[in-house]
Amino acid sequence: MLRERLTSGRGRLSVIAATTGVWGMDLLLVNHLRHRSLIAPNLSDLVHSIDIVATIAFIAVTIGLTVSLFRGKNRHLFRWALAYLLFSMLQVIANVLSMVATAGSHQGGGLAGLWDVAAVYMESVLVFMFVYIFLDVSTPGGAFIWPSRQGEEPPEPHIIDYLFISMNVNSTYGPTSEAVMSRRAKLVMALQVLLAIVMLTVLIARSVSSTG
């Protein structure tokens, strides 16, 4: 039923808006690094070229995903969704690595200069939320076991439940009450935990240098 909600009516518009929002955050981060001159001059052209290629790839994937959403072709939709999610995870990994590479370049500016760390954090939460939704609806029997009160049927998962899982993995480094049954979901969670630890390390280092 969750898959039906996301592929019909307002759910389709929500999916398109969310994918565009994630890309918007990524563009803001790249522009921030370039305008603050935090990218080495010899790498600036390379980063610009990668940014152009990534923009073209994003437009192509988004068009394919949008057409599949409105045509209702589930097979094509899942393929485009998988391509987008893999592309988005690579973006998150690249952004985290860029934060590590430029952590020593931020001096002063106060805590207000940490907005890009918060943006990468929220981008990670949103991207992995969609990954968990994809894994749950594409895994036979579901990728998660949802807890329920004694004597009651298990609840139907909502998008907020997946957001809660992703937020927990990013902050407490693991799910809280949901049981993970899919090995692919476990591998994805392990990747998200590693990225979250790196982000926390960068946040601490940047906080010290920003207030120092």
Side-chain angles (χ1 to χ4, degrees), residues 35-104:
H35 291 318
R36 289 284 300 272
S37 300
L38 299 177
I39 301 176
N42 58 333
L43 296 178
S44 181
D45 293 337
L46 176 62
V47 171
H48 181 63
S49 300
I50 293 175
D51 188 37
I52 294 176
V53 173
T55 300
I56 296 174
F58 168 76
I59 293 174
V61 172
T62 301
I63 291 175
L65 182 63
T66 303
V67 171
S68 298
L69 273 173
F70 283 93
R71 285 188 175 183
K73 295 184 177 181
N74 289 335
R75 180 177 298 180
H76 293 164
L77 175 61
F78 270 74
R79 290 176 179 174
W80 284 112
L82 178 60
Y84 175 82
L85 292 174
L86 291 175
F87 184 67
S88 298
M89 285 195 293
L90 289 176
Q91 283 183 315
V92 173
I93 294 172
N95 288 333
V96 172
L97 293 179
S98 68
M99 286 170 49
V100 174
T102 60

Side-chain angles (χ1 to χ4, degrees), residues 12 16-17 21 35 46 52 54 64 81 85 129 131 136 143 167 173 194:
R12 294 179 296 190
I16 296 172
H35 291 318
L46 176 62
I52 294 176
L85 292 174
M129 176 193 72
V131 173
D136 202 23
M167 185 68 74
Y173 307 139
L194 291 176

